[in-house]
Amino acid sequence: MATIITVAPTGPIASKADNPSVPTQPDEIADAVAAAYAEGAAIAHLHFRDRADRPTADLDVARRTVALIKERCPILIQLSTGVGLDVPYEQRAALVELQPEMATLNPCSMSFGAGEFRNPPAGVEALARRMRELGIKPELEIYDSGHLDACLRLRDKALLEEPLQFSLVLGVAGGMAATAANLITMHSRLLVNSIWQVIAIGRENLPLTAIGLALGGNARAGLEDTLYLRKGELATGSSPLVRRVADLIIALDGHLATVPEARERIFTRHWNRSFERSTDKVLKDAIM
Ligand code: KMH
Ligand code: ZN
């Protein structure tokens, strides 16, 4: 199966002071995404900034950035509804009204570095319901093991549709640590038909991304997750990080998903494989 690379050029926290290559304005983000597409990325995960480079959920900024990206390349668009720690939940959730093909859904509140990442249960349910109404594919951000259970409860309420798509996020201060043991445990708990990738924050970015690929996952790359190409060397943009992951995939005898392949994989239902590894035995028995 082809491996999907998502590029994440800009996150909620790092600024140009941390790495001058972090794109913040619409044309900068569009250029970064186009360069990453040329290296093999099939999905663009997007955060936006205002003119002062602060995280924003401003719909005009988002609309303008997406339009500039679409002028440059046909990459799949995934809007972050995480946006930034200080942006109110209602503004974050309103981004899905732009009807991107995909958007993130963060299932639980948590500490996030020195800040607080608010994802209140009622807001998460409402956002999941709205995304389902609009036909937007949620990428479920799993920062700790209980977040997976929260997503399975949303599925049980028919607010999420299989195949579920997960990011296993490791290394956020407040979430699970960036260790291989955590990744392997979380991987063992995913539904067998899940689409998933590793998001490894900071210095463990490369080894954990590589383990994720070896386990059959997809990959994410970009300055949102690591500002460095290697110790002491700032990345000059997201495209060198995407190129490195593309090289890894090819070295592992895989191949890169094109945009149509990624779309096929993400938006096709696989009901006949729709059961949980160990616990959904009844459903499994009913199917087999
Ligand atoms: N910033 C990452 C730790 C989101 O934007 O909704 C996770 C993330 C989630 O990308
Ligand atoms: Zn993000």
Side-chain angles (χ1 to χ4, degrees), residues 141-178:
E141 309 291 325
I142 307 299
Y143 302 80
D144 231 324
S145 64
H147 297 192
L148 174 57
D149 301 290
C151 291
L152 295 177
R153 287 193 291 274
L154 292 174
R155 177 208 54 178
D156 292 344
K157 291 181 177 177
L159 294 171
L160 297 174
E161 213 177 342
E162 294 189 28
L164 301 185
Q165 183 175 350
F166 294 104
S167 284
L168 303 178
V169 187
L170 299 120
V172 170
M176 61 190 154

PDB file of all heavy atoms in Angstrom, residues 141-178:
ATOM      1  N   GLU A 141      -6.401  13.289  16.786  1.00  0.00           N
ATOM      2  CA  GLU A 141      -5.065  13.530  17.356  1.00  0.00           C
ATOM      3  C   GLU A 141      -4.993  12.868  18.730  1.00  0.00           C
ATOM      4  O   GLU A 141      -5.682  13.282  19.662  1.00  0.00           O
ATOM      5  CB  GLU A 141      -4.816  15.041  17.463  1.00  0.00           C
ATOM      6  CG  GLU A 141      -5.094  15.810  16.175  1.00  0.00           C
ATOM      7  CD  GLU A 141      -4.090  15.516  15.060  1.00  0.00           C
ATOM      8  OE1 GLU A 141      -2.906  15.302  15.364  1.00  0.00           O
ATOM      9  OE2 GLU A 141      -4.503  15.486  13.894  1.00  0.00           O
ATOM     10  N   ILE A 142      -4.145  11.860  18.848  1.00  0.00           N
ATOM     11  CA  ILE A 142      -4.063  11.034  20.052  1.00  0.00           C
ATOM     12  C   ILE A 142      -2.757  11.364  20.772  1.00  0.00           C
ATOM     13  O   ILE A 142      -1.678  10.942  20.357  1.00  0.00           O
ATOM     14  CB  ILE A 142      -4.090   9.528  19.665  1.00  0.00           C
ATOM     15  CG1 ILE A 142      -5.293   9.208  18.772  1.00  0.00           C
ATOM     16  CG2 ILE A 142      -4.050   8.655  20.915  1.00  0.00           C
ATOM     17  CD1 ILE A 142      -6.632   9.476  19.399  1.00  0.00           C
ATOM     18  N   TYR A 143      -2.867  12.115  21.846  1.00  0.00           N
ATOM     19  CA  TYR A 143      -1.668  12.531  22.593  1.00  0.00           C
ATOM     20  C   TYR A 143      -1.431  11.641  23.805  1.00  0.00           C
ATOM     21  O   TYR A 143      -0.421  11.774  24.490  1.00  0.00           O
ATOM     22  CB  TYR A 143      -1.818  13.970  23.093  1.00  0.00           C
ATOM     23  CG  TYR A 143      -2.068  15.011  22.024  1.00  0.00           C
ATOM     24  CD1 TYR A 143      -3.338  15.190  21.479  1.00  0.00           C
ATOM     25  CD2 TYR A 143      -1.038  15.835  21.578  1.00  0.00           C
ATOM     26  CE1 TYR A 143      -3.582  16.150  20.515  1.00  0.00           C
ATOM     27  CE2 TYR A 143      -1.280  16.810  20.611  1.00  0.00           C
ATOM     28  CZ  TYR A 143      -2.545  16.955  20.093  1.00  0.00           C
ATOM     29  OH  TYR A 143      -2.787  17.913  19.141  1.00  0.00           O
ATOM     30  N   ASP A 144      -2.414  10.796  24.130  1.00  0.00           N
ATOM     31  CA  ASP A 144      -2.315   9.917  25.292  1.00  0.00           C
ATOM     32  C   ASP A 144      -3.294   8.775  25.096  1.00  0.00           C
ATOM     33  O   ASP A 144      -4.240   8.896  24.306  1.00  0.00           O
ATOM     34  CB  ASP A 144      -2.663  10.697  26.574  1.00  0.00           C
ATOM     35  CG  ASP A 144      -1.573  10.508  27.618  1.00  0.00           C
ATOM     36  OD1 ASP A 144      -1.017   9.395  27.679  1.00  0.00           O
ATOM     37  OD2 ASP A 144      -1.286  11.469  28.360  1.00  0.00           O
ATOM     38  N   SER A 145      -3.104   7.680  25.866  1.00  0.00           N
ATOM     39  CA  SER A 145      -3.876   6.476  25.540  1.00  0.00           C
ATOM     40  C   SER A 145      -5.384   6.682  25.704  1.00  0.00           C
ATOM     41  O   SER A 145      -6.158   6.176  24.893  1.00  0.00           O
ATOM     42  CB  SER A 145      -3.390   5.283  26.375  1.00  0.00           C
ATOM     43  OG  SER A 145      -3.628   5.528  27.736  1.00  0.00           O
ATOM     44  N   GLY A 146      -5.811   7.447  26.704  1.00  0.00           N
ATOM     45  CA  GLY A 146      -7.244   7.654  26.896  1.00  0.00           C
ATOM     46  C   GLY A 146      -7.897   8.430  25.759  1.00  0.00           C
ATOM     47  O   GLY A 146      -9.119   8.354  25.564  1.00  0.00           O
ATOM     48  N   HIS A 147      -7.105   9.145  24.989  1.00  0.00           N
ATOM     49  CA  HIS A 147      -7.668   9.892  23.858  1.00  0.00           C
ATOM     50  C   HIS A 147      -8.209   8.930  22.788  1.00  0.00           C
ATOM     51  O   HIS A 147      -9.178   9.231  22.104  1.00  0.00           O
ATOM     52  CB  HIS A 147      -6.611  10.809  23.237  1.00  0.00           C
ATOM     53  CG  HIS A 147      -6.110  11.868  24.176  1.00  0.00           C
ATOM     54  ND1 HIS A 147      -5.339  12.927  23.755  1.00  0.00           N
ATOM     55  CD2 HIS A 147      -6.265  12.043  25.513  1.00  0.00           C
ATOM     56  CE1 HIS A 147      -5.047  13.694  24.802  1.00  0.00           C
ATOM     57  NE2 HIS A 147      -5.585  13.167  25.867  1.00  0.00           N
ATOM     58  N   LEU A 148      -7.542   7.779  22.676  1.00  0.00           N
ATOM     59  CA  LEU A 148      -8.026   6.768  21.730  1.00  0.00           C
ATOM     60  C   LEU A 148      -9.398   6.255  22.175  1.00  0.00           C
ATOM     61  O   LEU A 148     -10.325   6.135  21.365  1.00  0.00           O
ATOM     62  CB  LEU A 148      -7.012   5.617  21.633  1.00  0.00           C
ATOM     63  CG  LEU A 148      -7.430   4.412  20.800  1.00  0.00           C
ATOM     64  CD1 LEU A 148      -7.787   4.804  19.372  1.00  0.00           C
ATOM     65  CD2 LEU A 148      -6.301   3.374  20.783  1.00  0.00           C
ATOM     66  N   ASP A 149      -9.540   6.006  23.475  1.00  0.00           N
ATOM     67  CA  ASP A 149     -10.833   5.529  23.989  1.00  0.00           C
ATOM     68  C   ASP A 149     -11.922   6.581  23.785  1.00  0.00           C
ATOM     69  O   ASP A 149     -13.060   6.249  23.465  1.00  0.00           O
ATOM     70  CB  ASP A 149     -10.696   5.163  25.473  1.00  0.00           C
ATOM     71  CG  ASP A 149      -9.649   4.079  25.647  1.00  0.00           C
ATOM     72  OD1 ASP A 149      -9.909   2.951  25.242  1.00  0.00           O
ATOM     73  OD2 ASP A 149      -8.547   4.397  26.122  1.00  0.00           O
ATOM     74  N   ALA A 150     -11.550   7.859  23.948  1.00  0.00           N
ATOM     75  CA  ALA A 150     -12.530   8.932  23.707  1.00  0.00           C
ATOM     76  C   ALA A 150     -13.004   8.881  22.255  1.00  0.00           C
ATOM     77  O   ALA A 150     -14.196   9.063  21.972  1.00  0.00           O
ATOM     78  CB  ALA A 150     -11.906  10.291  24.037  1.00  0.00           C
ATOM     79  N   CYS A 151     -12.094   8.607  21.333  1.00  0.00           N
ATOM     80  CA  CYS A 151     -12.473   8.528  19.910  1.00  0.00           C
ATOM     81  C   CYS A 151     -13.365   7.318  19.647  1.00  0.00           C
ATOM     82  O   CYS A 151     -14.322   7.396  18.870  1.00  0.00           O
ATOM     83  CB  CYS A 151     -11.227   8.453  19.031  1.00  0.00           C
ATOM     84  SG  CYS A 151     -10.296   9.993  19.033  1.00  0.00           S
ATOM     85  N   LEU A 152     -13.054   6.212  20.305  1.00  0.00           N
ATOM     86  CA  LEU A 152     -13.881   5.013  20.097  1.00  0.00           C
ATOM     87  C   LEU A 152     -15.299   5.245  20.631  1.00  0.00           C
ATOM     88  O   LEU A 152     -16.274   4.764  20.050  1.00  0.00           O
ATOM     89  CB  LEU A 152     -13.237   3.792  20.758  1.00  0.00           C
ATOM     90  CG  LEU A 152     -11.882   3.386  20.145  1.00  0.00           C
ATOM     91  CD1 LEU A 152     -11.280   2.212  20.902  1.00  0.00           C
ATOM     92  CD2 LEU A 152     -12.004   3.066  18.659  1.00  0.00           C
ATOM     93  N   ARG A 153     -15.404   6.052  21.704  1.00  0.00           N
ATOM     94  CA  ARG A 153     -16.754   6.379  22.202  1.00  0.00           C
ATOM     95  C   ARG A 153     -17.501   7.248  21.183  1.00  0.00           C
ATOM     96  O   ARG A 153     -18.690   7.086  20.967  1.00  0.00           O
ATOM     97  CB  ARG A 153     -16.677   7.078  23.560  1.00  0.00           C
ATOM     98  CG  ARG A 153     -16.294   6.127  24.707  1.00  0.00           C
ATOM     99  CD  ARG A 153     -16.533   6.770  26.073  1.00  0.00           C
ATOM    100  NE  ARG A 153     -15.618   7.861  26.358  1.00  0.00           N
ATOM    101  CZ  ARG A 153     -14.392   7.701  26.895  1.00  0.00           C
ATOM    102  NH1 ARG A 153     -13.953   6.495  27.214  1.00  0.00           N
ATOM    103  NH2 ARG A 153     -13.619   8.742  27.123  1.00  0.00           N
ATOM    104  N   LEU A 154     -16.787   8.153  20.538  1.00  0.00           N
ATOM    105  CA  LEU A 154     -17.431   8.972  19.492  1.00  0.00           C
ATOM    106  C   LEU A 154     -17.882   8.086  18.328  1.00  0.00           C
ATOM    107  O   LEU A 154     -18.954   8.283  17.757  1.00  0.00           O
ATOM    108  CB  LEU A 154     -16.466  10.050  18.980  1.00  0.00           C
ATOM    109  CG  LEU A 154     -16.096  11.164  19.959  1.00  0.00           C
ATOM    110  CD1 LEU A 154     -15.015  12.060  19.356  1.00  0.00           C
ATOM    111  CD2 LEU A 154     -17.321  12.002  20.324  1.00  0.00           C
ATOM    112  N   ARG A 155     -17.050   7.107  18.009  1.00  0.00           N
ATOM    113  CA  ARG A 155     -17.452   6.161  16.954  1.00  0.00           C
ATOM    114  C   ARG A 155     -18.707   5.401  17.377  1.00  0.00           C
ATOM    115  O   ARG A 155     -19.637   5.225  16.593  1.00  0.00           O
ATOM    116  CB  ARG A 155     -16.318   5.182  16.659  1.00  0.00           C
ATOM    117  CG  ARG A 155     -16.721   4.144  15.614  1.00  0.00           C
ATOM    118  CD  ARG A 155     -15.991   2.836  15.744  1.00  0.00           C
ATOM    119  NE  ARG A 155     -16.079   2.244  17.071  1.00  0.00           N
ATOM    120  CZ  ARG A 155     -15.546   1.075  17.380  1.00  0.00           C
ATOM    121  NH1 ARG A 155     -14.880   0.404  16.454  1.00  0.00           N
ATOM    122  NH2 ARG A 155     -15.646   0.584  18.593  1.00  0.00           N
ATOM    123  N   ASP A 156     -18.748   4.974  18.630  1.00  0.00           N
ATOM    124  CA  ASP A 156     -19.909   4.209  19.110  1.00  0.00           C
ATOM    125  C   ASP A 156     -21.180   5.052  19.066  1.00  0.00           C
ATOM    126  O   ASP A 156     -22.276   4.521  18.939  1.00  0.00           O
ATOM    127  CB  ASP A 156     -19.666   3.705  20.543  1.00  0.00           C
ATOM    128  CG  ASP A 156     -18.563   2.652  20.571  1.00  0.00           C
ATOM    129  OD1 ASP A 156     -18.225   2.105  19.501  1.00  0.00           O
ATOM    130  OD2 ASP A 156     -18.021   2.399  21.664  1.00  0.00           O
ATOM    131  N   LYS A 157     -21.018   6.387  19.171  1.00  0.00           N
ATOM    132  CA  LYS A 157     -22.185   7.283  19.064  1.00  0.00           C
ATOM    133  C   LYS A 157     -22.465   7.660  17.615  1.00  0.00           C
ATOM    134  O   LYS A 157     -23.240   8.581  17.349  1.00  0.00           O
ATOM    135  CB  LYS A 157     -21.931   8.568  19.856  1.00  0.00           C
ATOM    136  CG  LYS A 157     -21.908   8.372  21.354  1.00  0.00           C
ATOM    137  CD  LYS A 157     -21.665   9.732  22.015  1.00  0.00           C
ATOM    138  CE  LYS A 157     -21.693   9.624  23.516  1.00  0.00           C
ATOM    139  NZ  LYS A 157     -21.394  10.907  24.161  1.00  0.00           N
ATOM    140  N   ALA A 158     -21.763   7.023  16.692  1.00  0.00           N
ATOM    141  CA  ALA A 158     -21.925   7.278  15.252  1.00  0.00           C
ATOM    142  C   ALA A 158     -21.535   8.708  14.872  1.00  0.00           C
ATOM    143  O   ALA A 158     -22.028   9.255  13.882  1.00  0.00           O
ATOM    144  CB  ALA A 158     -23.350   6.960  14.790  1.00  0.00           C
ATOM    145  N   LEU A 159     -20.639   9.306  15.653  1.00  0.00           N
ATOM    146  CA  LEU A 159     -20.146  10.646  15.302  1.00  0.00           C
ATOM    147  C   LEU A 159     -18.884  10.553  14.446  1.00  0.00           C
ATOM    148  O   LEU A 159     -18.465  11.545  13.844  1.00  0.00           O
ATOM    149  CB  LEU A 159     -19.860  11.450  16.573  1.00  0.00           C
ATOM    150  CG  LEU A 159     -21.111  11.765  17.393  1.00  0.00           C
ATOM    151  CD1 LEU A 159     -20.743  12.370  18.737  1.00  0.00           C
ATOM    152  CD2 LEU A 159     -22.020  12.714  16.621  1.00  0.00           C
ATOM    153  N   LEU A 160     -18.272   9.386  14.421  1.00  0.00           N
ATOM    154  CA  LEU A 160     -17.102   9.148  13.574  1.00  0.00           C
ATOM    155  C   LEU A 160     -17.377   7.922  12.723  1.00  0.00           C
ATOM    156  O   LEU A 160     -17.988   6.963  13.185  1.00  0.00           O
ATOM    157  CB  LEU A 160     -15.846   8.885  14.412  1.00  0.00           C
ATOM    158  CG  LEU A 160     -15.366  10.013  15.309  1.00  0.00           C
ATOM    159  CD1 LEU A 160     -14.199   9.516  16.162  1.00  0.00           C
ATOM    160  CD2 LEU A 160     -14.938  11.221  14.483  1.00  0.00           C
ATOM    161  N   GLU A 161     -16.869   7.973  11.517  1.00  0.00           N
ATOM    162  CA  GLU A 161     -17.123   6.916  10.555  1.00  0.00           C
ATOM    163  C   GLU A 161     -15.810   6.198  10.242  1.00  0.00           C
ATOM    164  O   GLU A 161     -14.787   6.860  10.030  1.00  0.00           O
ATOM    165  CB  GLU A 161     -17.653   7.594   9.277  1.00  0.00           C
ATOM    166  CG  GLU A 161     -18.639   6.805   8.511  1.00  0.00           C
ATOM    167  CD  GLU A 161     -19.155   7.612   7.313  1.00  0.00           C
ATOM    168  OE1 GLU A 161     -18.997   8.860   7.305  1.00  0.00           O
ATOM    169  OE2 GLU A 161     -19.689   7.011   6.405  1.00  0.00           O
ATOM    170  N   GLU A 162     -15.845   4.875  10.172  1.00  0.00           N
ATOM    171  CA  GLU A 162     -14.632   4.132   9.818  1.00  0.00           C
ATOM    172  C   GLU A 162     -14.407   4.182   8.305  1.00  0.00           C
ATOM    173  O   GLU A 162     -15.359   4.306   7.554  1.00  0.00           O
ATOM    174  CB  GLU A 162     -14.767   2.688  10.282  1.00  0.00           C
ATOM    175  CG  GLU A 162     -14.807   2.593  11.797  1.00  0.00           C
ATOM    176  CD  GLU A 162     -14.730   1.162  12.295  1.00  0.00           C
ATOM    177  OE1 GLU A 162     -14.140   0.316  11.587  1.00  0.00           O
ATOM    178  OE2 GLU A 162     -15.261   0.903  13.370  1.00  0.00           O
ATOM    179  N   PRO A 163     -13.154   4.081   7.854  1.00  0.00           N
ATOM    180  CA  PRO A 163     -11.966   3.879   8.664  1.00  0.00           C
ATOM    181  C   PRO A 163     -11.590   5.153   9.436  1.00  0.00           C
ATOM    182  O   PRO A 163     -11.604   6.247   8.876  1.00  0.00           O
ATOM    183  CB  PRO A 163     -10.875   3.554   7.632  1.00  0.00           C
ATOM    184  CG  PRO A 163     -11.347   4.223   6.373  1.00  0.00           C
ATOM    185  CD  PRO A 163     -12.838   4.186   6.413  1.00  0.00           C
ATOM    186  N   LEU A 164     -11.270   4.973  10.722  1.00  0.00           N
ATOM    187  CA  LEU A 164     -10.824   6.123  11.507  1.00  0.00           C
ATOM    188  C   LEU A 164      -9.398   6.472  11.093  1.00  0.00           C
ATOM    189  O   LEU A 164      -8.616   5.606  10.726  1.00  0.00           O
ATOM    190  CB  LEU A 164     -10.865   5.801  12.997  1.00  0.00           C
ATOM    191  CG  LEU A 164     -12.236   5.402  13.564  1.00  0.00           C
ATOM    192  CD1 LEU A 164     -12.156   5.219  15.071  1.00  0.00           C
ATOM    193  CD2 LEU A 164     -13.309   6.425  13.211  1.00  0.00           C
ATOM    194  N   GLN A 165      -9.109   7.762  11.158  1.00  0.00           N
ATOM    195  CA  GLN A 165      -7.762   8.218  10.796  1.00  0.00           C
ATOM    196  C   GLN A 165      -7.119   8.863  12.022  1.00  0.00           C
ATOM    197  O   GLN A 165      -7.685   9.799  12.605  1.00  0.00           O
ATOM    198  CB  GLN A 165      -7.862   9.216   9.650  1.00  0.00           C
ATOM    199  CG  GLN A 165      -6.489   9.659   9.188  1.00  0.00           C
ATOM    200  CD  GLN A 165      -6.554  10.546   7.976  1.00  0.00           C
ATOM    201  OE1 GLN A 165      -7.611  10.697   7.359  1.00  0.00           O
ATOM    202  NE2 GLN A 165      -5.457  11.137   7.620  1.00  0.00           N
ATOM    203  N   PHE A 166      -5.962   8.343  12.402  1.00  0.00           N
ATOM    204  CA  PHE A 166      -5.316   8.776  13.636  1.00  0.00           C
ATOM    205  C   PHE A 166      -3.945   9.387  13.390  1.00  0.00           C
ATOM    206  O   PHE A 166      -3.205   8.931  12.506  1.00  0.00           O
ATOM    207  CB  PHE A 166      -5.087   7.580  14.574  1.00  0.00           C
ATOM    208  CG  PHE A 166      -6.343   6.952  15.101  1.00  0.00           C
ATOM    209  CD1 PHE A 166      -6.795   5.747  14.582  1.00  0.00           C
ATOM    210  CD2 PHE A 166      -7.064   7.557  16.116  1.00  0.00           C
ATOM    211  CE1 PHE A 166      -7.949   5.157  15.073  1.00  0.00           C
ATOM    212  CE2 PHE A 166      -8.228   6.972  16.611  1.00  0.00           C
ATOM    213  CZ  PHE A 166      -8.664   5.769  16.090  1.00  0.00           C
ATOM    214  N   SER A 167      -3.595  10.364  14.213  1.00  0.00           N
ATOM    215  CA  SER A 167      -2.194  10.741  14.423  1.00  0.00           C
ATOM    216  C   SER A 167      -1.833  10.323  15.832  1.00  0.00           C
ATOM    217  O   SER A 167      -2.523  10.709  16.787  1.00  0.00           O
ATOM    218  CB  SER A 167      -1.995  12.252  14.301  1.00  0.00           C
ATOM    219  OG  SER A 167      -2.028  12.641  12.968  1.00  0.00           O
ATOM    220  N   LEU A 168      -0.783   9.547  15.956  1.00  0.00           N
ATOM    221  CA  LEU A 168      -0.241   9.215  17.279  1.00  0.00           C
ATOM    222  C   LEU A 168       0.807  10.274  17.576  1.00  0.00           C
ATOM    223  O   LEU A 168       1.867  10.312  16.940  1.00  0.00           O
ATOM    224  CB  LEU A 168       0.353   7.807  17.269  1.00  0.00           C
ATOM    225  CG  LEU A 168      -0.629   6.695  16.852  1.00  0.00           C
ATOM    226  CD1 LEU A 168       0.055   5.331  16.830  1.00  0.00           C
ATOM    227  CD2 LEU A 168      -1.851   6.674  17.769  1.00  0.00           C
ATOM    228  N   VAL A 169       0.468  11.175  18.486  1.00  0.00           N
ATOM    229  CA  VAL A 169       1.316  12.342  18.750  1.00  0.00           C
ATOM    230  C   VAL A 169       2.180  12.042  19.975  1.00  0.00           C
ATOM    231  O   VAL A 169       1.658  11.799  21.066  1.00  0.00           O
ATOM    232  CB  VAL A 169       0.471  13.610  19.014  1.00  0.00           C
ATOM    233  CG1 VAL A 169       1.377  14.831  19.111  1.00  0.00           C
ATOM    234  CG2 VAL A 169      -0.586  13.804  17.929  1.00  0.00           C
ATOM    235  N   LEU A 170       3.479  12.053  19.776  1.00  0.00           N
ATOM    236  CA  LEU A 170       4.396  11.722  20.873  1.00  0.00           C
ATOM    237  C   LEU A 170       5.351  12.882  21.105  1.00  0.00           C
ATOM    238  O   LEU A 170       5.873  13.459  20.154  1.00  0.00           O
ATOM    239  CB  LEU A 170       5.200  10.463  20.509  1.00  0.00           C
ATOM    240  CG  LEU A 170       4.330   9.217  20.272  1.00  0.00           C
ATOM    241  CD1 LEU A 170       4.511   8.684  18.864  1.00  0.00           C
ATOM    242  CD2 LEU A 170       4.636   8.130  21.294  1.00  0.00           C
ATOM    243  N   GLY A 171       5.557  13.221  22.389  1.00  0.00           N
ATOM    244  CA  GLY A 171       6.573  14.217  22.697  1.00  0.00           C
ATOM    245  C   GLY A 171       6.056  15.595  23.038  1.00  0.00           C
ATOM    246  O   GLY A 171       6.844  16.503  23.271  1.00  0.00           O
ATOM    247  N   VAL A 172       4.719  15.783  23.094  1.00  0.00           N
ATOM    248  CA  VAL A 172       4.193  17.053  23.603  1.00  0.00           C
ATOM    249  C   VAL A 172       4.283  17.004  25.129  1.00  0.00           C
ATOM    250  O   VAL A 172       3.882  16.014  25.740  1.00  0.00           O
ATOM    251  CB  VAL A 172       2.714  17.252  23.184  1.00  0.00           C
ATOM    252  CG1 VAL A 172       2.086  18.433  23.910  1.00  0.00           C
ATOM    253  CG2 VAL A 172       2.613  17.445  21.675  1.00  0.00           C
ATOM    254  N   ALA A 173       4.806  18.064  25.747  1.00  0.00           N
ATOM    255  CA  ALA A 173       4.879  18.090  27.217  1.00  0.00           C
ATOM    256  C   ALA A 173       3.462  18.250  27.754  1.00  0.00           C
ATOM    257  O   ALA A 173       2.838  19.304  27.620  1.00  0.00           O
ATOM    258  CB  ALA A 173       5.773  19.231  27.687  1.00  0.00           C
ATOM    259  N   GLY A 174       2.924  17.169  28.305  1.00  0.00           N
ATOM    260  CA  GLY A 174       1.514  17.121  28.708  1.00  0.00           C
ATOM    261  C   GLY A 174       0.847  15.891  28.109  1.00  0.00           C
ATOM    262  O   GLY A 174      -0.199  15.457  28.568  1.00  0.00           O
ATOM    263  N   GLY A 175       1.462  15.331  27.084  1.00  0.00           N
ATOM    264  CA  GLY A 175       0.985  14.095  26.457  1.00  0.00           C
ATOM    265  C   GLY A 175       1.997  12.984  26.673  1.00  0.00           C
ATOM    266  O   GLY A 175       2.915  13.113  27.482  1.00  0.00           O
ATOM    267  N   MET A 176       1.824  11.892  25.914  1.00  0.00           N
ATOM    268  CA  MET A 176       2.743  10.761  26.131  1.00  0.00           C
ATOM    269  C   MET A 176       4.147  11.101  25.611  1.00  0.00           C
ATOM    270  O   MET A 176       4.307  11.864  24.654  1.00  0.00           O
ATOM    271  CB  MET A 176       2.207   9.480  25.488  1.00  0.00           C
ATOM    272  CG  MET A 176       2.008   9.510  24.002  1.00  0.00           C
ATOM    273  SD  MET A 176       1.110   8.033  23.446  1.00  0.00           S
ATOM    274  CE  MET A 176       0.355   8.683  21.937  1.00  0.00           C
ATOM    275  N   ALA A 177       5.127  10.508  26.273  1.00  0.00           N
ATOM    276  CA  ALA A 177       6.523  10.776  25.919  1.00  0.00           C
ATOM    277  C   ALA A 177       6.862  10.145  24.567  1.00  0.00           C
ATOM    278  O   ALA A 177       6.220   9.184  24.133  1.00  0.00           O
ATOM    279  CB  ALA A 177       7.444  10.208  26.991  1.00  0.00           C
ATOM    280  N   ALA A 178       7.884  10.710  23.932  1.00  0.00           N
ATOM    281  CA  ALA A 178       8.305  10.223  22.610  1.00  0.00           C
ATOM    282  C   ALA A 178       9.211   9.006  22.773  1.00  0.00           C
ATOM    283  O   ALA A 178      10.428   9.095  22.658  1.00  0.00           O
ATOM    284  CB  ALA A 178       9.009  11.340  21.849  1.00  0.00           C
TER     285      ALA A 178
END
